[in-house]
């Protein structure tokens, strides 16, 4: 069945939008690859796909790291104490922050070494343009925000360096007993997307791990004593961990649940 030119154009526009939303630069790279594809004579689709992949990897791993500092952002530096949970964050260019935040993460990681806690980093920011949205987040658009995983432990109480989903998101530490159920309050107000992260797990892993109250409390206390301006955790975790520092805020119902990660910002 022959596809009409209009359908083809609409599909192309949709694909460009999706790649731009996910990676910031993927839509532009696709257009470049399609332009090059105009000069390919045989096996156009396959060869154009390989051209796209080649250019995308070149841009992501060589060009962007060199250009991003001119826009005031650098890659989150990984080491033994600071790790990105999934390489998808690198592949999608969602691992950029301002230099001050990168320095803070490095200092924090080193500080946590004595507690055997590894800093597991999730979504940060795109490399270019203040105000460019990093969906599904509301505020990761200026290089000054980053999400960190909660801390987990084994059944015998040993701190683990692992997380409970492949993305680091979506496995919620549910309220216990009389702890406030903020997700019910927010969703009753019509904010149906409040728990959207449950669809972003990319699969559960390490199902034997449990939430570490001690480890997460240590992490948050070190965050509040640093240059972090504020951080977001779900109200029931704030209550359970007996946290009262003024930097610890409620993110509001128009955001998403924060009992699977901690949001920090300068």
């Amino acid at each position: 069945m022959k596809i009409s030119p209009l359908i083809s154009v609409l599909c192309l526009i949709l694909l460009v939008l999706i790649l731009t939303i996910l990676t910031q630069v993927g839509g532009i790279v696709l257009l470049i690859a399609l332009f090059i594809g105009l000069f390919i004579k045989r096996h156009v689709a396959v060869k154009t796909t390989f051209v796209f992949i080649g250019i995308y990897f070149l841009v992501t791993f060589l060009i962007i790291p060199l250009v991003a500092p001119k826009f005031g952002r650098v890659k989150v530096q990984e080491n033994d104490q600071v790790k990105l949970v999934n390489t998808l964050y690198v592949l999608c260019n969602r691992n950029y922050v301002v230099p001050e935040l990168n320095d803070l993460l490095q200092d924090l990681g080193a500080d946590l070494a004595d507690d055997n806690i590894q800093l597991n980093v999730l979504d940060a920011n795109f490399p270019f343009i203040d105000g460019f949205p990093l969906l599904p987040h509301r505020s990761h658009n200026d290089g000054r925000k980053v999400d960190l995983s909660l801390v987990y432990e084994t059944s015998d109480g040993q701190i683990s360096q692992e997380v409970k989903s492949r993305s680091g998101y979506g496995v919620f530490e549910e309220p216990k007993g009389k702890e406030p159920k903020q997700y019910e309050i927010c969703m009753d107000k019509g904010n149906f997307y409040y728990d959207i992260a449950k669809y972003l797990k990319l699969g559960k892993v390490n199902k034997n791990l449990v939430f570490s109250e001690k480890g997460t409390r240590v992490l948050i206390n070190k965050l509040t004593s640093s240059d972090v301006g504020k951080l977001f955790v779900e109200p029931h975790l704030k209550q359970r961990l007996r946290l009262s520092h003024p930097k610890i805020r409620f993110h509001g119902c128009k955001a998403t649940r924060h009992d699977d990660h901690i949001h920090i910002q300068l």
Side-chain angles (χ1 to χ4, degrees), residues 156-188:
D156 60 355
Q158 298 298 310
I159 294 292
S160 173
Q161 314 296 352
E162 306 298 327
V163 296
K164 296 196 68 175
S165 75
R166 297 189 189 282
S167 69
Y169 293 104
V171 180
F172 303 123
E173 177 58 26
E174 301 286 350
K176 295 180 179 180
K178 296 183 179 180
E179 292 176 349
K181 297 180 179 179
Q182 188 63 48
Y183 64 92
E184 290 186 353
I185 297 171
C186 290
M187 295 180 77
D188 285 345

PDB file of all heavy atoms in Angstrom, residues 156-188:
ATOM      1  N   ASP A 156      19.426  -7.454  54.927  1.00  0.00           N
ATOM      2  CA  ASP A 156      20.153  -7.479  56.198  1.00  0.00           C
ATOM      3  C   ASP A 156      20.718  -6.110  56.572  1.00  0.00           C
ATOM      4  O   ASP A 156      21.573  -5.999  57.454  1.00  0.00           O
ATOM      5  CB  ASP A 156      21.271  -8.530  56.162  1.00  0.00           C
ATOM      6  CG  ASP A 156      22.293  -8.265  55.057  1.00  0.00           C
ATOM      7  OD1 ASP A 156      22.085  -7.319  54.257  1.00  0.00           O
ATOM      8  OD2 ASP A 156      23.305  -8.989  54.987  1.00  0.00           O
ATOM      9  N   GLY A 157      20.268  -5.063  55.881  1.00  0.00           N
ATOM     10  CA  GLY A 157      20.607  -3.703  56.286  1.00  0.00           C
ATOM     11  C   GLY A 157      21.873  -3.132  55.703  1.00  0.00           C
ATOM     12  O   GLY A 157      22.318  -2.049  56.123  1.00  0.00           O
ATOM     13  N   GLN A 158      22.450  -3.784  54.695  1.00  0.00           N
ATOM     14  CA  GLN A 158      23.669  -3.277  54.067  1.00  0.00           C
ATOM     15  C   GLN A 158      23.312  -2.301  52.941  1.00  0.00           C
ATOM     16  O   GLN A 158      22.488  -2.610  52.079  1.00  0.00           O
ATOM     17  CB  GLN A 158      24.494  -4.427  53.501  1.00  0.00           C
ATOM     18  CG  GLN A 158      24.970  -5.419  54.547  1.00  0.00           C
ATOM     19  CD  GLN A 158      25.877  -4.786  55.577  1.00  0.00           C
ATOM     20  OE1 GLN A 158      26.844  -4.101  55.230  1.00  0.00           O
ATOM     21  NE2 GLN A 158      25.579  -5.003  56.845  1.00  0.00           N
ATOM     22  N   ILE A 159      23.920  -1.122  52.971  1.00  0.00           N
ATOM     23  CA  ILE A 159      23.657  -0.123  51.943  1.00  0.00           C
ATOM     24  C   ILE A 159      24.042  -0.682  50.568  1.00  0.00           C
ATOM     25  O   ILE A 159      25.108  -1.269  50.400  1.00  0.00           O
ATOM     26  CB  ILE A 159      24.457   1.168  52.213  1.00  0.00           C
ATOM     27  CG1 ILE A 159      23.973   1.841  53.503  1.00  0.00           C
ATOM     28  CG2 ILE A 159      24.333   2.143  51.034  1.00  0.00           C
ATOM     29  CD1 ILE A 159      22.569   2.405  53.422  1.00  0.00           C
ATOM     30  N   SER A 160      23.160  -0.491  49.594  1.00  0.00           N
ATOM     31  CA  SER A 160      23.416  -0.949  48.236  1.00  0.00           C
ATOM     32  C   SER A 160      23.724   0.236  47.331  1.00  0.00           C
ATOM     33  O   SER A 160      23.246   1.355  47.571  1.00  0.00           O
ATOM     34  CB  SER A 160      22.188  -1.706  47.697  1.00  0.00           C
ATOM     35  OG  SER A 160      22.346  -2.025  46.327  1.00  0.00           O
ATOM     36  N   GLN A 161      24.500  -0.023  46.302  1.00  0.00           N
ATOM     37  CA  GLN A 161      24.777   1.009  45.295  1.00  0.00           C
ATOM     38  C   GLN A 161      23.777   0.946  44.144  1.00  0.00           C
ATOM     39  O   GLN A 161      23.873   1.736  43.197  1.00  0.00           O
ATOM     40  CB  GLN A 161      26.198   0.825  44.734  1.00  0.00           C
ATOM     41  CG  GLN A 161      27.280   0.582  45.763  1.00  0.00           C
ATOM     42  CD  GLN A 161      27.489   1.734  46.713  1.00  0.00           C
ATOM     43  OE1 GLN A 161      26.932   2.813  46.537  1.00  0.00           O
ATOM     44  NE2 GLN A 161      28.278   1.522  47.752  1.00  0.00           N
ATOM     45  N   GLU A 162      22.840   0.020  44.199  1.00  0.00           N
ATOM     46  CA  GLU A 162      21.910  -0.211  43.105  1.00  0.00           C
ATOM     47  C   GLU A 162      20.587   0.515  43.323  1.00  0.00           C
ATOM     48  O   GLU A 162      20.312   1.039  44.406  1.00  0.00           O
ATOM     49  CB  GLU A 162      21.650  -1.720  42.947  1.00  0.00           C
ATOM     50  CG  GLU A 162      22.901  -2.558  42.789  1.00  0.00           C
ATOM     51  CD  GLU A 162      23.683  -2.206  41.543  1.00  0.00           C
ATOM     52  OE1 GLU A 162      23.051  -1.826  40.530  1.00  0.00           O
ATOM     53  OE2 GLU A 162      24.927  -2.306  41.572  1.00  0.00           O
ATOM     54  N   VAL A 163      19.757   0.517  42.284  1.00  0.00           N
ATOM     55  CA  VAL A 163      18.423   1.111  42.351  1.00  0.00           C
ATOM     56  C   VAL A 163      17.394   0.042  41.998  1.00  0.00           C
ATOM     57  O   VAL A 163      17.744  -1.093  41.665  1.00  0.00           O
ATOM     58  CB  VAL A 163      18.300   2.323  41.405  1.00  0.00           C
ATOM     59  CG1 VAL A 163      19.235   3.439  41.841  1.00  0.00           C
ATOM     60  CG2 VAL A 163      18.599   1.909  39.964  1.00  0.00           C
ATOM     61  N   LYS A 164      16.095   0.399  42.042  1.00  0.00           N
ATOM     62  CA  LYS A 164      15.050  -0.619  41.902  1.00  0.00           C
ATOM     63  C   LYS A 164      14.324  -0.580  40.564  1.00  0.00           C
ATOM     64  O   LYS A 164      13.389  -1.343  40.352  1.00  0.00           O
ATOM     65  CB  LYS A 164      14.045  -0.486  43.052  1.00  0.00           C
ATOM     66  CG  LYS A 164      14.653  -0.756  44.418  1.00  0.00           C
ATOM     67  CD  LYS A 164      13.598  -0.997  45.473  1.00  0.00           C
ATOM     68  CE  LYS A 164      12.859  -2.293  45.227  1.00  0.00           C
ATOM     69  NZ  LYS A 164      11.901  -2.598  46.309  1.00  0.00           N
ATOM     70  N   SER A 165      14.711   0.306  39.684  1.00  0.00           N
ATOM     71  CA  SER A 165      14.192   0.265  38.320  1.00  0.00           C
ATOM     72  C   SER A 165      15.321   0.656  37.384  1.00  0.00           C
ATOM     73  O   SER A 165      16.286   1.299  37.800  1.00  0.00           O
ATOM     74  CB  SER A 165      12.994   1.204  38.146  1.00  0.00           C
ATOM     75  OG  SER A 165      13.409   2.555  38.090  1.00  0.00           O
ATOM     76  N   ARG A 166      15.201   0.290  36.122  1.00  0.00           N
ATOM     77  CA  ARG A 166      16.295   0.556  35.188  1.00  0.00           C
ATOM     78  C   ARG A 166      16.497   2.054  34.967  1.00  0.00           C
ATOM     79  O   ARG A 166      17.607   2.503  34.686  1.00  0.00           O
ATOM     80  CB  ARG A 166      16.032  -0.154  33.863  1.00  0.00           C
ATOM     81  CG  ARG A 166      15.987  -1.660  33.992  1.00  0.00           C
ATOM     82  CD  ARG A 166      15.935  -2.351  32.648  1.00  0.00           C
ATOM     83  NE  ARG A 166      15.673  -3.773  32.812  1.00  0.00           N
ATOM     84  CZ  ARG A 166      16.564  -4.675  33.182  1.00  0.00           C
ATOM     85  NH1 ARG A 166      17.803  -4.291  33.440  1.00  0.00           N
ATOM     86  NH2 ARG A 166      16.235  -5.940  33.295  1.00  0.00           N
ATOM     87  N   SER A 167      15.438   2.827  35.084  1.00  0.00           N
ATOM     88  CA  SER A 167      15.552   4.271  34.903  1.00  0.00           C
ATOM     89  C   SER A 167      15.854   4.996  36.204  1.00  0.00           C
ATOM     90  O   SER A 167      16.293   6.145  36.194  1.00  0.00           O
ATOM     91  CB  SER A 167      14.247   4.827  34.315  1.00  0.00           C
ATOM     92  OG  SER A 167      13.208   4.750  35.273  1.00  0.00           O
ATOM     93  N   GLY A 168      15.600   4.323  37.335  1.00  0.00           N
ATOM     94  CA  GLY A 168      15.714   4.993  38.631  1.00  0.00           C
ATOM     95  C   GLY A 168      14.418   5.638  39.078  1.00  0.00           C
ATOM     96  O   GLY A 168      14.293   6.077  40.231  1.00  0.00           O
ATOM     97  N   TYR A 169      13.437   5.711  38.198  1.00  0.00           N
ATOM     98  CA  TYR A 169      12.132   6.295  38.508  1.00  0.00           C
ATOM     99  C   TYR A 169      11.062   5.211  38.592  1.00  0.00           C
ATOM    100  O   TYR A 169      11.226   4.096  38.099  1.00  0.00           O
ATOM    101  CB  TYR A 169      11.709   7.282  37.410  1.00  0.00           C
ATOM    102  CG  TYR A 169      12.537   8.540  37.302  1.00  0.00           C
ATOM    103  CD1 TYR A 169      13.470   8.691  36.279  1.00  0.00           C
ATOM    104  CD2 TYR A 169      12.373   9.588  38.199  1.00  0.00           C
ATOM    105  CE1 TYR A 169      14.222   9.854  36.159  1.00  0.00           C
ATOM    106  CE2 TYR A 169      13.120  10.752  38.091  1.00  0.00           C
ATOM    107  CZ  TYR A 169      14.040  10.878  37.070  1.00  0.00           C
ATOM    108  OH  TYR A 169      14.784  12.030  36.951  1.00  0.00           O
ATOM    109  N   GLY A 170       9.945   5.579  39.221  1.00  0.00           N
ATOM    110  CA  GLY A 170       8.726   4.793  39.082  1.00  0.00           C
ATOM    111  C   GLY A 170       8.461   3.725  40.114  1.00  0.00           C
ATOM    112  O   GLY A 170       7.356   3.186  40.159  1.00  0.00           O
ATOM    113  N   VAL A 171       9.443   3.377  40.951  1.00  0.00           N
ATOM    114  CA  VAL A 171       9.195   2.436  42.040  1.00  0.00           C
ATOM    115  C   VAL A 171       9.013   3.265  43.312  1.00  0.00           C
ATOM    116  O   VAL A 171       9.992   3.700  43.925  1.00  0.00           O
ATOM    117  CB  VAL A 171      10.340   1.424  42.196  1.00  0.00           C
ATOM    118  CG1 VAL A 171      10.050   0.466  43.350  1.00  0.00           C
ATOM    119  CG2 VAL A 171      10.528   0.639  40.901  1.00  0.00           C
ATOM    120  N   PHE A 172       7.761   3.503  43.674  1.00  0.00           N
ATOM    121  CA  PHE A 172       7.455   4.434  44.753  1.00  0.00           C
ATOM    122  C   PHE A 172       7.609   3.769  46.125  1.00  0.00           C
ATOM    123  O   PHE A 172       7.280   2.599  46.304  1.00  0.00           O
ATOM    124  CB  PHE A 172       6.030   4.958  44.607  1.00  0.00           C
ATOM    125  CG  PHE A 172       5.762   5.625  43.279  1.00  0.00           C
ATOM    126  CD1 PHE A 172       4.742   5.164  42.454  1.00  0.00           C
ATOM    127  CD2 PHE A 172       6.529   6.685  42.842  1.00  0.00           C
ATOM    128  CE1 PHE A 172       4.488   5.765  41.233  1.00  0.00           C
ATOM    129  CE2 PHE A 172       6.293   7.297  41.629  1.00  0.00           C
ATOM    130  CZ  PHE A 172       5.268   6.824  40.819  1.00  0.00           C
ATOM    131  N   GLU A 173       8.095   4.547  47.087  1.00  0.00           N
ATOM    132  CA  GLU A 173       8.123   4.128  48.485  1.00  0.00           C
ATOM    133  C   GLU A 173       6.819   4.619  49.110  1.00  0.00           C
ATOM    134  O   GLU A 173       6.699   5.783  49.495  1.00  0.00           O
ATOM    135  CB  GLU A 173       9.344   4.707  49.196  1.00  0.00           C
ATOM    136  CG  GLU A 173       9.430   4.388  50.676  1.00  0.00           C
ATOM    137  CD  GLU A 173       9.434   2.883  50.957  1.00  0.00           C
ATOM    138  OE1 GLU A 173       9.855   2.090  50.090  1.00  0.00           O
ATOM    139  OE2 GLU A 173       9.001   2.508  52.069  1.00  0.00           O
ATOM    140  N   GLU A 174       5.837   3.741  49.158  1.00  0.00           N
ATOM    141  CA  GLU A 174       4.469   4.118  49.517  1.00  0.00           C
ATOM    142  C   GLU A 174       4.357   4.551  50.978  1.00  0.00           C
ATOM    143  O   GLU A 174       5.140   4.126  51.825  1.00  0.00           O
ATOM    144  CB  GLU A 174       3.526   2.943  49.243  1.00  0.00           C
ATOM    145  CG  GLU A 174       3.492   2.470  47.804  1.00  0.00           C
ATOM    146  CD  GLU A 174       2.737   3.431  46.892  1.00  0.00           C
ATOM    147  OE1 GLU A 174       2.092   4.362  47.399  1.00  0.00           O
ATOM    148  OE2 GLU A 174       2.794   3.229  45.661  1.00  0.00           O
ATOM    149  N   PRO A 175       3.346   5.381  51.282  1.00  0.00           N
ATOM    150  CA  PRO A 175       3.095   5.772  52.677  1.00  0.00           C
ATOM    151  C   PRO A 175       2.760   4.564  53.545  1.00  0.00           C
ATOM    152  O   PRO A 175       2.188   3.581  53.071  1.00  0.00           O
ATOM    153  CB  PRO A 175       1.895   6.716  52.554  1.00  0.00           C
ATOM    154  CG  PRO A 175       1.880   7.159  51.137  1.00  0.00           C
ATOM    155  CD  PRO A 175       2.428   6.031  50.340  1.00  0.00           C
ATOM    156  N   LYS A 176       3.117   4.661  54.807  1.00  0.00           N
ATOM    157  CA  LYS A 176       2.799   3.617  55.778  1.00  0.00           C
ATOM    158  C   LYS A 176       1.872   4.175  56.851  1.00  0.00           C
ATOM    159  O   LYS A 176       1.977   5.350  57.228  1.00  0.00           O
ATOM    160  CB  LYS A 176       4.081   3.099  56.448  1.00  0.00           C
ATOM    161  CG  LYS A 176       5.054   2.397  55.528  1.00  0.00           C
ATOM    162  CD  LYS A 176       6.271   1.929  56.307  1.00  0.00           C
ATOM    163  CE  LYS A 176       7.264   1.183  55.426  1.00  0.00           C
ATOM    164  NZ  LYS A 176       8.457   0.740  56.207  1.00  0.00           N
ATOM    165  N   GLY A 177       1.003   3.333  57.357  1.00  0.00           N
ATOM    166  CA  GLY A 177       0.162   3.714  58.487  1.00  0.00           C
ATOM    167  C   GLY A 177      -0.581   5.015  58.262  1.00  0.00           C
ATOM    168  O   GLY A 177      -1.319   5.174  57.293  1.00  0.00           O
ATOM    169  N   LYS A 178      -0.357   5.971  59.153  1.00  0.00           N
ATOM    170  CA  LYS A 178      -1.058   7.249  59.102  1.00  0.00           C
ATOM    171  C   LYS A 178      -0.279   8.334  58.358  1.00  0.00           C
ATOM    172  O   LYS A 178      -0.635   9.511  58.431  1.00  0.00           O
ATOM    173  CB  LYS A 178      -1.366   7.726  60.524  1.00  0.00           C
ATOM    174  CG  LYS A 178      -2.331   6.811  61.279  1.00  0.00           C
ATOM    175  CD  LYS A 178      -2.650   7.370  62.662  1.00  0.00           C
ATOM    176  CE  LYS A 178      -3.627   6.460  63.396  1.00  0.00           C
ATOM    177  NZ  LYS A 178      -3.948   6.999  64.756  1.00  0.00           N
ATOM    178  N   GLU A 179       0.772   7.949  57.656  1.00  0.00           N
ATOM    179  CA  GLU A 179       1.523   8.934  56.879  1.00  0.00           C
ATOM    180  C   GLU A 179       0.635   9.527  55.791  1.00  0.00           C
ATOM    181  O   GLU A 179      -0.231   8.836  55.244  1.00  0.00           O
ATOM    182  CB  GLU A 179       2.752   8.278  56.251  1.00  0.00           C
ATOM    183  CG  GLU A 179       3.807   7.864  57.251  1.00  0.00           C
ATOM    184  CD  GLU A 179       4.975   7.133  56.604  1.00  0.00           C
ATOM    185  OE1 GLU A 179       4.878   6.772  55.420  1.00  0.00           O
ATOM    186  OE2 GLU A 179       5.990   6.920  57.298  1.00  0.00           O
ATOM    187  N   PRO A 180       0.829  10.802  55.473  1.00  0.00           N
ATOM    188  CA  PRO A 180      -0.030  11.451  54.472  1.00  0.00           C
ATOM    189  C   PRO A 180       0.106  10.831  53.087  1.00  0.00           C
ATOM    190  O   PRO A 180       1.209  10.496  52.653  1.00  0.00           O
ATOM    191  CB  PRO A 180       0.472  12.903  54.477  1.00  0.00           C
ATOM    192  CG  PRO A 180       1.874  12.823  55.000  1.00  0.00           C
ATOM    193  CD  PRO A 180       1.869  11.707  55.997  1.00  0.00           C
ATOM    194  N   LYS A 181      -1.014  10.662  52.408  1.00  0.00           N
ATOM    195  CA  LYS A 181      -1.028  10.122  51.051  1.00  0.00           C
ATOM    196  C   LYS A 181      -1.214  11.275  50.077  1.00  0.00           C
ATOM    197  O   LYS A 181      -2.310  11.515  49.568  1.00  0.00           O
ATOM    198  CB  LYS A 181      -2.132   9.078  50.914  1.00  0.00           C
ATOM    199  CG  LYS A 181      -1.931   7.866  51.820  1.00  0.00           C
ATOM    200  CD  LYS A 181      -3.049   6.852  51.650  1.00  0.00           C
ATOM    201  CE  LYS A 181      -2.802   5.638  52.549  1.00  0.00           C
ATOM    202  NZ  LYS A 181      -3.893   4.637  52.414  1.00  0.00           N
ATOM    203  N   GLN A 182      -0.117  11.977  49.833  1.00  0.00           N
ATOM    204  CA  GLN A 182      -0.184  13.177  49.009  1.00  0.00           C
ATOM    205  C   GLN A 182      -0.635  12.870  47.587  1.00  0.00           C
ATOM    206  O   GLN A 182      -1.302  13.674  46.947  1.00  0.00           O
ATOM    207  CB  GLN A 182       1.181  13.865  48.977  1.00  0.00           C
ATOM    208  CG  GLN A 182       1.186  15.226  48.315  1.00  0.00           C
ATOM    209  CD  GLN A 182       0.323  16.225  49.056  1.00  0.00           C
ATOM    210  OE1 GLN A 182       0.415  16.345  50.280  1.00  0.00           O
ATOM    211  NE2 GLN A 182      -0.517  16.954  48.346  1.00  0.00           N
ATOM    212  N   TYR A 183      -0.292  11.693  47.089  1.00  0.00           N
ATOM    213  CA  TYR A 183      -0.674  11.356  45.718  1.00  0.00           C
ATOM    214  C   TYR A 183      -2.188  11.278  45.571  1.00  0.00           C
ATOM    215  O   TYR A 183      -2.744  11.639  44.529  1.00  0.00           O
ATOM    216  CB  TYR A 183      -0.021  10.049  45.279  1.00  0.00           C
ATOM    217  CG  TYR A 183      -0.435   8.823  46.047  1.00  0.00           C
ATOM    218  CD1 TYR A 183      -1.500   8.049  45.610  1.00  0.00           C
ATOM    219  CD2 TYR A 183       0.235   8.433  47.192  1.00  0.00           C
ATOM    220  CE1 TYR A 183      -1.897   6.918  46.307  1.00  0.00           C
ATOM    221  CE2 TYR A 183      -0.141   7.311  47.889  1.00  0.00           C
ATOM    222  CZ  TYR A 183      -1.209   6.553  47.460  1.00  0.00           C
ATOM    223  OH  TYR A 183      -1.589   5.444  48.152  1.00  0.00           O
ATOM    224  N   GLU A 184      -2.877  10.824  46.626  1.00  0.00           N
ATOM    225  CA  GLU A 184      -4.342  10.790  46.571  1.00  0.00           C
ATOM    226  C   GLU A 184      -4.913  12.203  46.566  1.00  0.00           C
ATOM    227  O   GLU A 184      -5.852  12.502  45.813  1.00  0.00           O
ATOM    228  CB  GLU A 184      -4.905  10.000  47.753  1.00  0.00           C
ATOM    229  CG  GLU A 184      -4.649   8.505  47.686  1.00  0.00           C
ATOM    230  CD  GLU A 184      -5.353   7.746  48.790  1.00  0.00           C
ATOM    231  OE1 GLU A 184      -5.933   8.404  49.689  1.00  0.00           O
ATOM    232  OE2 GLU A 184      -5.327   6.501  48.767  1.00  0.00           O
ATOM    233  N   ILE A 185      -4.346  13.068  47.381  1.00  0.00           N
ATOM    234  CA  ILE A 185      -4.818  14.452  47.446  1.00  0.00           C
ATOM    235  C   ILE A 185      -4.653  15.128  46.090  1.00  0.00           C
ATOM    236  O   ILE A 185      -5.575  15.777  45.580  1.00  0.00           O
ATOM    237  CB  ILE A 185      -4.043  15.229  48.529  1.00  0.00           C
ATOM    238  CG1 ILE A 185      -4.312  14.632  49.907  1.00  0.00           C
ATOM    239  CG2 ILE A 185      -4.412  16.716  48.503  1.00  0.00           C
ATOM    240  CD1 ILE A 185      -3.432  15.201  51.010  1.00  0.00           C
ATOM    241  N   CYS A 186      -3.469  14.960  45.490  1.00  0.00           N
ATOM    242  CA  CYS A 186      -3.189  15.627  44.219  1.00  0.00           C
ATOM    243  C   CYS A 186      -4.022  15.054  43.076  1.00  0.00           C
ATOM    244  O   CYS A 186      -4.543  15.803  42.240  1.00  0.00           O
ATOM    245  CB  CYS A 186      -1.701  15.514  43.890  1.00  0.00           C
ATOM    246  SG  CYS A 186      -0.640  16.516  44.964  1.00  0.00           S
ATOM    247  N   MET A 187      -4.173  13.762  43.051  1.00  0.00           N
ATOM    248  CA  MET A 187      -4.938  13.151  41.965  1.00  0.00           C
ATOM    249  C   MET A 187      -6.426  13.428  42.103  1.00  0.00           C
ATOM    250  O   MET A 187      -7.135  13.557  41.101  1.00  0.00           O
ATOM    251  CB  MET A 187      -4.639  11.649  41.905  1.00  0.00           C
ATOM    252  CG  MET A 187      -3.183  11.365  41.543  1.00  0.00           C
ATOM    253  SD  MET A 187      -2.730   9.621  41.452  1.00  0.00           S
ATOM    254  CE  MET A 187      -3.439   9.192  39.866  1.00  0.00           C
ATOM    255  N   ASP A 188      -6.901  13.557  43.330  1.00  0.00           N
ATOM    256  CA  ASP A 188      -8.300  13.937  43.539  1.00  0.00           C
ATOM    257  C   ASP A 188      -8.581  15.353  43.049  1.00  0.00           C
ATOM    258  O   ASP A 188      -9.722  15.698  42.735  1.00  0.00           O
ATOM    259  CB  ASP A 188      -8.670  13.822  45.022  1.00  0.00           C
ATOM    260  CG  ASP A 188      -8.842  12.381  45.474  1.00  0.00           C
ATOM    261  OD1 ASP A 188      -8.957  11.500  44.596  1.00  0.00           O
ATOM    262  OD2 ASP A 188      -8.838  12.131  46.693  1.00  0.00           O
TER     263      ASP A 188
END
